[in-house]
Amino acid sequence: MKERTPKKSDKLNKRKYIRYKPDPGVFALIDFEADAGPFRPTFPALVLTESHQGCGLLIVDNKQLSVGSLIRVQVGNLPPMRAEIRWKEKLDSDATKIGLHFLDL
C-alpha cells in the first residue's frame, strides 16, 4: 500500500475538528448571562459553521459580545450550553462574525 505524502495544506490547518456547513437557515439564540438561572435568549445569530467543540456565527454588531466573553447559546435544536467567544471579525459597520468554543461538553 502506498503511503500518502502530506500536503502543504495539511500543515496549515491547525484545527482539531473539521468544520462543516449547517443546514440552511439554522439560527443560534444567545443569552448574555452565562451562569444566571434559566436560559433567556435575547440575541439571534445565523450559524455559519459547526464543529464538535464550537461554531461560527454571523451577528449584528454588538458591543457586549467581545473576545473572552462567556455566554450561553442554543445552536439549532441543541440544548443551551455555555460558550466562550474565541474570535471576532468585523465585516462592515453592521455585521460581525464570531467564533465560539463550547464549554459544556
Side-chain angles (χ1 to χ4, degrees), residues 26-29 47 50 73-79:
V26 173
F27 283 90
L29 300 173
V47 180
E50 294 180 90
V73 62
Q74 181 178 11
V75 179
N77 294 326
L78 295 174

Side-chain angles (χ1 to χ4, degrees), residues 16-17 19 34 49-57 66-73 75 81-88 98-105:
K16 194 172 184 179
Y17 298 100
R19 297 328 188 237
T49 60
E50 294 180 90
S51 78
H52 175 68
Q53 287 190 326
C55 66
L57 304 177
S66 58
V67 174
S69 295
L70 297 180
I71 60 171
R72 280 189 290 178
V73 62
V75 179
M81 62 188 95
R82 291 180 340 110
E84 177 185 0
I85 299 174
R86 290 284 178 96
W87 56 265
K88 185 174 181 178
I98 60 173
L100 301 182
H101 175 74
F102 299 139
L103 301 174
D104 292 340
L105 296 177

Side-chain angles (χ1 to χ4, degrees), residues 82-97:
R82 291 180 340 110
E84 177 185 0
I85 299 174
R86 290 284 178 96
W87 56 265
K88 185 174 181 178
E89 178 184 347
K90 193 163 182 69
L91 301 176
D92 63 23
S93 61
D94 297 322
T96 300
K97 290 191 325 186

